[in-house]
Structure formats: C-alpha cells, structure tokens
Amino acid sequence: MINFFWASLFFFLAGALFYKKSKASYLLAFLGSVSALVVGIYALNSSEELFRMSLTPNVSITLGLDHLSALFIIIASIAWIALSLYSVDYSVFYPKSNLSLGFNLALLGMMLVLSARDGFSLLIGWEIMTIFAFIMMVISGLHYEKAYRFLAFGELSTACLLIGFALLYQSTNSITFDALSRGGSVVLIFLSLGFIIKMDIVPFHGWMRGIYGEMPDNAAAILSGPVTLMGVYGLERIIPVMPINDTWNLVIIVLGALSAFWGGLQAVAVNKVRLLPAYSTIENNGMILTAIGFYALAQSITNPDLHYLALFAQATSIIIALSHTFSKTLLFMSLGHAKEAYDVHTIDEARGVWSGVGKIPALGIVVSALSFSAFPPLIGYVGEWMILETLFQSYKFPNVSTEFIAALTGVLTALAIGLIGFAMIKLIGYTALGYDHGRKSRVISNRFMNSSETGMLLLILLCGVALPAVIILLGFPQLLTSLLDVPAPFVLASNQPIFGVITPTLIFIVLIVLMIVPFILFISKRTKVRKVTSWNGGLPLEEEEYFTARAYSQILEHILRNVYHTKEVRTKSRSTIEVEDIMLRPMNWLTRMVEKIGEGEALVLMNGRISAYVAYILLLFIIAFLIGMAVM
Amino acid sequence: MRLLAGVIEIDGKEKLLMIEDGVARLEPVESQAQREEFGCYQLLKKRELHLRRGSVSGPGVFRFRYGPVTAGVREAGCFNLYTFGEKILHAGIDVSWKHRGIEEAMSNKTPQRALALAEAVCSNFAFSHSVAYARAVENALHSNVDMGVQNWRNILLEAERIYNHLHVITKLASAAAQKVLTSHLSSLFEEALRLNEILTGSRYLMGINQVGGFHHLPSLENMQHAINGYSLIAKRFEQLYVHSVNNANYMDRLHAAGTITADQAIAMGLSGPSLRACGVKDDLNTTISHLIQLPVITQNEGDALARMEVRAEEIMNSCEYIIDHLKISDAWNFNTDEATKSIRENGEGCGIANSPSGAVAYYVVLQDGIIAHARIFTPSYVGMHAAAFSLDEYIFTDFPFIFDSFGVHFSDAAR
Amino acid sequence: MLKWWPLFGIRRHLTEKKAYTSPIRLQSLYGKLFQRSLFIYILDVGSSNALNFEISALESPQYNIHRFGIYFTDSPRHADVLLILGRPTELMLAPMNETLNQMPEPYYVITIDDSMDDLPMSPYPEMRHHVAQLKGIPSPSELLGLLLELIKNKRIAS
C-alpha cells in the first residue's frame, strides 16, 4: 500500500511538471488517481501509518490512513479519475492556459489532506489545495479580482483552522488528531468553522457568483465536488472525537438547513448553465452539515435509540457526500461537454443536447440531475430520503427546543428538496431534452469525454441499484434489516424495529418486472402508428414561440418576489426580469469597504514622498531598539 | 358629438365618414387639420389585417401564439402575445385568416345581391349590416323610405341587440365558471333566437330587410307570441342579473380587467357599449327621433365589468322597447310589396346602424344601378384594436374576460 | 332574500322533449362505435359566424346535448367528429389540413358550407370519412338530429 501511495503523489508531481503537454499531464493525473483508488481500497480494512517526520520534539508531520480516510479517498479518487480522463479532451478548449498544473497540484493537496494524521500536514495539504485551485482560476483567464474572492474565503478557512490548531497546541501541547479529544469547545468551534467555510455554506458562498460562469468545467467540477468533500472529511474526523457542545450542534444544524434552502431557492432563479450546479452544491452540502449535526447531537445522549440514530445520521452524511460528489462530477462533465460544443452561456441557448450534441452528454445531464431531484433508483434518492428520515426521527430527543429546531430544519429541508427538483427539471427539460431548433454544435474529439461520462453514469446507477453493497462497504451493516416480509438486506431501517424504506435494489427489480416486460410485450403487438408534430393551433411552432427557461422560473420569482427582490426593467420594446441573491449583500458591502479603505490607506501611506519613507525607516529603528531593550 | 367611423380613399381622393349627432355624413378631406382631429384616422385609413403589429424583445421574452385554430375563441384568428412568463407585455391580433374579400365581391352586383353579401359579413350582426347598407344605398339613390319600414328596422335592431348582449354575458359568465348562471343565460339566449325566428322566419334576422322595404311582416299572432316571449326574457334576465351582481367571485373577475379611459376610447375610434362604459354618451340611437327614446346607458370605469353592466341594462331596456312598439306596430300601415320609388341610378351615399357592439358604417357608389365601389367599416375592427390595446400589462388569466367583454368577432373585423 | 345559486331555478325544466330529425340521410360508417359518447371538435375555417352562434345555441339547456353523450372537446386529438364550419379561406387551408392530420382514427368529418357563391372561397379538399356535407345554416335541431343519426342512438325523448 505504501508504494501505491507514493506512486500517486509521484504521478501528480510528474503531471504538474509536464504541464506544457496537457494531454500527457492529464493522463498522469489519471494514473495518480487510479493509484489513490487502489490505496483507498487497501486501507478500507487496515489502518497504517505511512510517513513520520519530526520537526520539533512535540510536532511532527505524520501521514497515515484509516477507515474514514480510505472511504473519502475512494469517493474523491473516483471523481478524480473521471475528471482527469474528461480533461484529456476538454483541455482542447483552453489551449493557452496551463490548467493541468493547478489541476495536478490541487489533487496532490487533497491527497495530503486525506492522509494527514496531524494538524500540520492537514494545513499543508489544505493550503496547497486552495492555492493551486486559485492558480487554476487565474490561469484560465479569469480576472484577478474575482479569483481573489475565492482566495479570500479559502484563506479565511485556513485561518480558522490555524487558530483552532494553535489553540489545541496551547492546551494540549500536541497537534495530532489523537490530541483532539482533549481540546475544548473553542477549538471545536474554530476547526469546524474552517471546514464549514470550505463546504460553501451560506453565507460563505459569495465567491461563486462571479466566478463559476467563466471557469472551465473541470476546474469548476473540482471546486464543487472534491474540494467541498474535504470540508466534510474534516468535520467527520473531528466531530466523533471532540467533546460535545450541544449549542454548537444546534447552530450547525440550523446553518445547514438554511444553506440547503438558500441553495435550492437561488438555483431556481439562475439562468447561466454553470451557476445552477453551483447552487446545488450549496444545497447538498447544507444537507450534509445537518446530518453531521444530528450525528453529533445524537451521540451525546446515552439513549440506545439515539445511538442508532447517530449511526444513521453518520451514514446519511457519507451517502449524501458520495452521491453529491458523483452526481456533481457527472453534471459538470456533461454540461461542459454540451456548453463547449454549442459555445453558449445560458440554459435557453443550450437547448437540445440530445439531438444537437450527442446522446451521452444528454443522458449524463438527465441522470445526474435526476439524482439531485431524488429520483429512485438513483443514489441521490437514498441520500435525500435518509436526511428527511433523520429529521423525522428527531422526536426521540428529550428536550423540546431540540425538537422544535429539528422541525424547523425539516421544513427548510423539504422546501430545499422541492426547489432543487424544480431547478433540475428546468435544466433537464431545456438542455438535454429540449428541441434543438436546428442548432449545430462544433465537432470536437470526445472519446475520452464520452467514456468518462458513461463510466460515471453507470456508477451512479450502480450505487443506487446495489445500495446494500454500498452500505456494507461503508461500514454500516446494521442499517440493513428485513421488515414486513421484505427480506434482508432490501430494507434500509431508520429505527429498529419500526420504520424503514425499500432500497432501490428492490425498486429496480420491480421496475424490470412491472415496466420492462410489459413494455416489450406492448412493443411486439404494435398496430399502425402515426407520428405528428405537437398541436399548436394548426401551425408549426417557430423558435421564438417556444416557452423559454426564464419564463419557466418567472412564476416562482414572482411569487417569492420579496425574497428575490424581483424587478422588471422595461422600455417600450424590451423587457427583462432581474433577481438578486440578497445573502451576497454583506459580502459586497465588505468588498467595497475593503477597497475604499485600501485605497485611502494607500493614498495616505504610500504617498510617494521620500520624507515619509525616511520617517517609516526611522520609526522602525526606534521600535526595534525599544524591543531589543525590553528583551534584554 | 362627432365620431369618425371611416376613411374612404378612392382614386386618390379622401373622404371622412363622420357620425354627427347620430347622422352619417361624408366630408371630403382638404386640410391636415381634419386628419389630425381624430386619433383613429390612420387606423381607419389603413384597414390592416394584422392589428397592433409590434414586438417586445428581451432575455426570456417569447411570443405566445394563440390560434388560428383555438378551442376557446372558436373563430379563425390569431393572437400574438409577447410575454416573459405570465404578464402580457404586448398583444397583437391577426384577423387575416377570415378575410373573405366581401367588399370586392360587392362590386358589379345589383343592390339586392350585394345586400345578401352584406348580411354575410358577420351573420350575428346581419341585421345591422343590412340596415346600414340599405341606408347607404337609399342615401345614394335619394330614396324616400316609408316611416313604417324605419320603425320596423329599429325594432328588429333591438331584437338583434338582445341576443348578442345575452351571448356576450353568457361567455363572460362561462369564463368565470359560474355554471348555473351560464346555463340559465344560455337558455335565454336560445329563447331570444327562437323569438327572432317567430318574428322574421330566420333565427339571425337574415333575408328580411331589403333596400327600401321589408320582405314580409310578422302576423298578429306571432307578434303576440313575441311580446310574451320578450317580457319573460326581461323578467328572467333581471332576476339572474341581480343574483350575479351579488356574487363577489364573479364581480371580482370582471372588475378592473382591461380598463381604458374615455380619452383612449375616443382616440381609438370606439363606439357602442365599449365607449359608453367609459362614461361617454354617444348618440348612435338618436336616429329615431319620433319614437320613444331609448335611454343611453353609461358606466364610468371603462373595465370589463362596466361593459357587462352597460349590456345588461341595455337588454332590459330593449326588451321593454320591443314590447311597447310591437303593441302599437299594427298602426303603421305600409305595403311591403311596393318597392319604394327611387329617383336616380347613380350616386354615392353612406349609412350607419347601431349594431350591438358599436356603429357599423357603409359607403357605396352606384353606377347605372349597379354597385361600383363599396366600403364597410365594422365595429369589430376598432373593437379588436382596443381589445389588443387593453390586454397589455394584464396576465393571461384575465384574457377571456377582457377579450369577450368587447363583443367583437373575427369575421366582422376581417370582412 | 337572494336564493342560493345551487337552488336557483331547480324546479324549472328547461330541456325540451322533441324528436330530432336529421336533414340528410347518411351511412354510418362505424356502426355503433360512438353510441355511448361522441366528442366533437369545432373548426371554423371561414364561416360568417352564424354557425358559431348555432353551436353556442346547441350548448343551451333546451337541447341538453349531454343527455345523448355529445360533448365538445378542446383538442382535435380527443375528438371523434370534426365539424368544419364554412368554406376555407386560402390561409386556413394549411391549419385545416394539420387539424385533419391530428385526428385519431376512427373519426368522421362533417362540413357545413354557409358561404355564398360570389365569394372566392376554396373548395373542400379530399377528406377521409367525409360523411355529411350540409349547405346553408342548419338550425340546432337539425344539427342535433344529424349527430343523433350519426350515433344511431335510439334514446330520443318522446
């Protein structure tokens, strides 16, 4: 196993070195990801320490793997495999930029994070990941200012982690993960805040709006899937071992639900093809955060029922993380494929992918978007059922305030699922399944793109259909039971022995029997069939008469106009509807303040006069002199 | 008051067909000031088949085409509604699907033959069209029309008004899902059509009016039957109307739907109930100065509710009018067999009639007793333009109320 | 005191009891297929509007067509009978053909020609199952008789 680990790091470095030849570079990234997957599979049942280097008597850099890291390495590396393979073809659209440098090194950083055993190595990996993601953005031609926003939030997360680990060192004299159990509440808050910011929870999602529309899709997929997965990993690592703080647990539950709701709400109103998946990431991560919060809350109480609920909540968070990573990767890949083939930016312009671009990207969009809309038998359905079920089972908590907050969370989560379903239907209906109006897409080489999309598609379907296997692999065999004559392991139970749901496996079997077979019988007996165009008052529909994607969501934008601040901009012959994400207002205000203060400060301090600079030198001399005097 | 009913342009010479104090007059156009006096001059001069052409663009704005085969409106015509989702930003109506070229068909026909064509423009306004046409021909030939004929024409104009208004209110009630009201109004509508048949032998009052005379008159027994029928209609309709006005749901659907101000209505050339609902007293029914005067009903709001209320009161007044005048009609003695004497065989003339939805105006030029030119100005033409205008900025749910409240028809607008 | 709408006129019997006869004889092509219900789609291609009013009159309580199972539909795809009013203008030929294209088998076509010979209207194209061609403006009783003949429904109130 050690060899595979070092091999993967080596492949990533090599890929970064050869960044000039992008195809070779991405293939090296692919090899690195495959090695990582092998490492993960090995480490699923055996923990091992891989590397140790002492810096000071108390601090050393330790890399090692255990069951939790292995899980996340498997999930992340599957996404990396798909994306690196996809990028082999996709890099053609960004020939001048050297994206593969940032790509490979970001993957390296993530590998370090997942195999870190102490705070120092975690921080090293964290920073590598953030900085090279930033470099990916800058290289792809994005204006500096927008990329700085991402960096600002990334560094905020790092700063929180730094403070957390520093406080941990201060109280326990060590920053390995074993020392976490002796840390205090403040450490918990800072560390989890750092991870939460990385998960793009509202209100830390502000950097997305300017950037997502213009980044290349493999970079966007990396930022949405694996990078936020790191935040989830961090939370999963610290929550079981750190001392309980019930108030903080409730705070993160509410934050998660709010984030889920806000993500769904804004996803309904966006029109750019890439922003919709970005808001869906916020929504899913919100649900993961809620699940983690319940896991922590349920663990703290010694009721055996709640112990089962804790297990269930933990499984929920991991399954949603898995389904989100896979589905988001597939969605970005397919949308990127379609978008680049058509060379457009908005949903309305990207219509008719099935007939205009190709069947595989269209199928990719359909399957991943359906997975987000909780459509059985896909894996997304399981995740969303499990989070709702966790909220239902919260009646077991002993105190009323917890139950009340759980009810509120349930309302927000249900709304979120409804809204994201609406948004996903809009996406599928217009891009994948819409009429193409004779649009021509440019010819691109798509062998690698198609193969990685197909692979991801089959994996999502497989994970859903073979869910019991997945759950056993994740390490939660207690969740599969039998109920009411449905044999084990086809029932996923949220409460022993009362309540559960049929796993998608059984649904899939029933579908085959009740749908496929009758369909075949029907096809074989077909009488004469006449095909006609849709009925539209006797005349064929022209393109300008088709219902637009914006009109589809305008109804919700009008009903919720107070939340969206919907405005109509109208002249005599032109009309537009504008909506706003009001959670971005604080961030925008802050940005403007920083700019003003920075400018003002620069004008005052760096005023170009020699006398001022001489005065600064003199001032520093005096301060150094005084400090030297104080030390001695 | 002066209303512009039509603009005629033949061989480069323009004439205005005016309605002044209820009488039709032709005015040659000599100055630009005459053209600018009326806002509807251009509209009436061009006589387009695509009303309110224009578009709105923008991201997400698309054109919702309703027609030409629709299930709601059931006539062949197309609505082009520009919208970004729910609100109608701009409405345009395309009436060209029903253009049958009746004006061209009238050339080189005898006046009697052309009268049948006039009735075919819009058969539910058949009588008003035939009366306007007959008046135009009589005006051109300087014929003297018997007073009895004029009286009977006015009675039957009111009969036509009753069944058309009942039809409009039935459609409004049906759009508001007032099922009981719709069924009862529908039965009254059918009764009115049967009374038409009793009075004239035709359910749509077709084939009874002639140039200068009447084809036949109803017998005394039929007249008595009609009197009973109309009093029953008036009584039942009043009951229904009082009930419906107290239904907040129904009133709410009609209130503030498709509001137009009096100035806008005059500028668009409206006449009839649509104009009267804005508070403007037009004097289309003052042509019969020697008979009991029909009151001019006006409302003030100018919305669909006001137009419905004007029509409702006119129904009840018209029923009373018909009953009163049928009772005294046997005093008007005239011979239906004799055609009235006409002095000339050449000439030009104009005539108007008070159709249920406004003024219908005809202009004819006769040469050697044959129609050389004919121009038809229908109330639905300006009415459709006004309906399209008033649809702007309303949502599609209000569409049936706004459109139906104007009482306009595609066959009438397209000729 | 206003009476509650559902009770309004509840004792009034508006449906007339009359036998309806068809103005023309026709050969019913499908036998008793439409005996339970008959769905009609109205297509106006250039009539002078009297026929539209006659259809509205046919929906009144005096005729009460629902007791025979006769209904009007909103879409040609749900229709058994296409009732074409008037002779087509030139512009309406394409929509008319498209409507015919959308009718599902089995169906009938009935045309009512109320146009005058002087007008330049197009002739009817060749249509399948064109079972009745009426001229002029038939009254609703005659139309109802024709429709009853079409479904060979013996349930005529006497």
Side-chain angles (χ1 to χ4, degrees), chain A residues 203-214:
Chain A
F204 304 111
H205 69 293
W207 58 274
M208 288 169 132
R209 207 130 188 148
I211 298 182
Y212 258 89
E214 296 158 37

Side-chain angles (χ1 to χ4, degrees), chain A residues 528 530-539, chain C residues 41 76-77 95 98-99 101-105:
Chain A
K528 197 170 63 162
R530 185 179 8 137
K531 281 197 187 165
V532 293
T533 53
S534 60
W535 169 248
N536 283 297
L539 294 176
Chain C
Y41 186 71
R77 290 182 175 188
E98 178 63 29
T99 313
N101 196 21
Q102 301 265 343
M103 298 280 294
E105 298 266 353

Side-chain angles (χ1 to χ4, degrees), chain B residues 143-216:
Chain B
S143 319
N144 227 335
V145 183
D146 207 325
M147 196 60 84
V149 172
Q150 293 183 44
N151 297 347
W152 268 108
R153 281 180 178 167
N154 286 304
I155 291 181
L156 292 178
L157 273 175
E158 297 309 311
E160 186 174 73
R161 192 177 323 279
I162 289 173
Y163 83 79
N164 271 295
H165 283 346
L166 279 170
H167 186 245
V168 167
I169 303 183
T170 311
K171 280 215 284 196
L172 286 174
S174 158
Q178 305 288 311
K179 303 270 169 131
V180 176
L181 180 63
T182 310
S183 306
H184 283 282
L185 284 171
S186 189
S187 77
L188 288 182
F189 169 69
E190 170 65 18
E191 277 310 310
L193 286 174
R194 289 180 183 186
L195 289 173
N196 286 348
E197 190 166 17
I198 287 172
L199 276 178
T200 64
S202 154
R203 279 161 67 94
Y204 295 95
L205 308 168
M206 293 170 80
I208 182 152
N209 187 31
Q210 292 180 325
V211 177
F214 251 52
H215 188 262
H216 68 271

Side-chain angles (χ1 to χ4, degrees), chain C residues 40-47 51-52 55 81-89 92-93 95-97 99-100 103 107-114 124-125 127-128 130 132-134 136 138 143:
Chain C
I40 308 176
Y41 186 71
I42 310 286
L43 178 62
D44 175 16
V45 289
S47 79
L51 289 169
N52 293 65
I55 300 290
V81 173
L82 183 65
L83 188 55
I84 299 183
L85 307 176
R87 282 262 283 279
T89 57
M92 281 303 284
L93 277 173
M96 188 171 88
N97 287 327
T99 313
L100 280 164
M103 298 280 294
Y107 65 95
Y108 296 126
V109 176
I110 302 175
T111 56
I112 309 181
D113 177 7
D114 69 340
Y124 291 115
M127 293 185 275
R128 306 175 59 203
H130 191 173
Q133 299 195 40
L134 296 164
L143 263 179

